[in-house]
Amino acid sequence: MSIAFGDFRTIPITEDGRKILNQLVTKNIFNDMRHGWQLGAALGISTGEVHKTGSRGTFQNVNSLDPEGIFAAIMVGLYPEIDPKDRRDKLVDHAEWGIREIQRKEKNGTLDFETLGK
């Protein structure tokens, strides 16, 4: 894990991101915020989209969000030349975009997990 994200042990999130995830859990779109964040990160990575606006506070432990190290491996593969902090921040940027996209699709009635990200 230290290769991917250095000594960072937590993943940050914006307050808006936290609110969006909480709303998606309340609507039973996800069982918990962790699952929503993981899908948001995967969606942001797969589309190459990022959201960089807003100050961020601590969200969850890296090992809780990426227990198998899949996001770490993907981020090292995609961004081998950037330093660990920037790599972690880039992952968070992808997740922030993805959770907003999931919310947007849920609000307009087009959220379809079978086609999400295509």
Side-chain angles (χ1 to χ4, degrees):
M1 193 70 66
S2 63
I3 293 171
F5 306 124
D7 293 331
F8 293 99
R9 298 290 172 237
T10 60
I11 297 288
I13 193 169
T14 62
E15 189 58 35
D16 286 344
R18 185 183 301 275
K19 286 177 185 175
I20 291 168
L21 286 175
N22 193 41
Q23 290 168 0
L24 293 170
V25 169
T26 300
K27 292 180 178 183
N28 293 316
I29 305 296
F30 297 107
N31 288 332
D32 59 46
M33 291 176 28
R34 176 177 52 101
H35 293 128
W37 186 94
Q38 289 168 327
L39 184 58
L43 182 59
I45 290 167
S46 71
T47 59
E49 299 288 343
V50 295
H51 180 87
K52 296 182 178 193
T53 306
S55 63
R56 297 172 176 170
T58 300
F59 178 51
Q60 288 192 18
N61 185 288
V62 171
N63 293 327
S64 296
L65 293 172
D66 192 20
E68 291 89 21
I70 294 169
F71 286 117
I74 290 169
M75 295 304 290
V76 169
L78 289 174
Y79 309 105
E81 302 301 321
I82 64 176
D83 70 57
K85 180 194 180 303
D86 292 340
R87 194 177 295 122
R88 182 198 65 162
D89 291 347
K90 187 78 164 180
L91 173 61
V92 172
D93 294 344
H94 285 308
E96 289 278 352
W97 181 86
I99 61 176
R100 283 166 174 75
E101 181 64 5
I102 293 166
Q103 179 194 44
R104 185 187 72 78
K105 288 180 173 288
E106 188 278 325
K107 279 185 173 182
N108 70 22
T110 62
L111 182 60
D112 177 4
F113 289 110
E114 289 185 25
T115 61
L116 191 62
K118 291 185 178 181

